[in-house]
């Protein structure tokens, strides 16, 4: 089983917003995020029931939250079928959360996607 591919939708100082397309194979999805370089065993996670997710423009939007400002994170997702079997993790995405005040004005921050 493979997991849906996540795409970056938006990033703020304290959250990473992702999107993906639902797959009928999975009844649940688990989003994992951790600071870059830390072990996945210490990752934060959020579990989403597929039937509770609402698609916008063909995509489901989920959020890794809370995050710290100006920190590099790795995020990945797994799918869970009705028997509780977990898929292999999807590709890992590396994302920097927004750093306060590093943009052209003090009210603007910056963030980047490394992967």
């Amino acid at each position: 089983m493979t997991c849906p591919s996540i795409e970056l939708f938006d990033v703020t100082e304290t959250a990473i917003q992702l999107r993906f397309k639902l797959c009928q194979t999975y009844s649940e999805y688990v989003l994992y995020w951790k600071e870059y370089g830390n072990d996945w065993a210490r990752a934060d996670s959020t579990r989403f029931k597929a039937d509770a997710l609402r698609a916008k423009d063909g995509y489901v939007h989920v959020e890794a939250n809370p995050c710290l400002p100006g920190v590099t994170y790795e995020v990945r997702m797994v799918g869970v079928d009705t028997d509780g079997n977990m898929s292999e993790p999807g590709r890992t995405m590396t994302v920097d959360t927004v750093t306060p005040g590093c943009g052209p004005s003090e009210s603007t921050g910056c963030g980047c996607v490394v992967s």
Side-chain angles (χ1 to χ4, degrees), residues 12 20 30 36 48 58 64 82 91-92 95:
T12 67
F20 68 98
V30 184
Y36 182 83
F48 302 95
T82 55
R91 79 175 173 93
T92 299
V95 180

Side-chain angles (χ1 to χ4, degrees), residues 67-104:
C67 298
L68 297 172
V71 174
T72 302
Y73 285 90
E74 292 179 294
V75 294
R76 69 184 188 185
M77 182 177 283
V78 298
V80 183
D81 67 19
T82 55
D83 294 326
N85 300 310
M86 294 184 117
S87 71
E88 290 295 318
R91 79 175 173 93
T92 299
M93 181 181 290
T94 305
V95 180
D96 292 333
T97 53
V98 173
T99 300
C102 76

Side-chain angles (χ1 to χ4, degrees), residues 4 16 22 28 32 35 41 43 53-54 56 72 84 86 115:
I16 301 168
L22 287 175
E28 296 181 48
Y32 293 95
E35 287 186 34
L53 296 171
R54 302 273 187 256
K56 294 182 201 173
T72 302
M86 294 184 117
S115 171

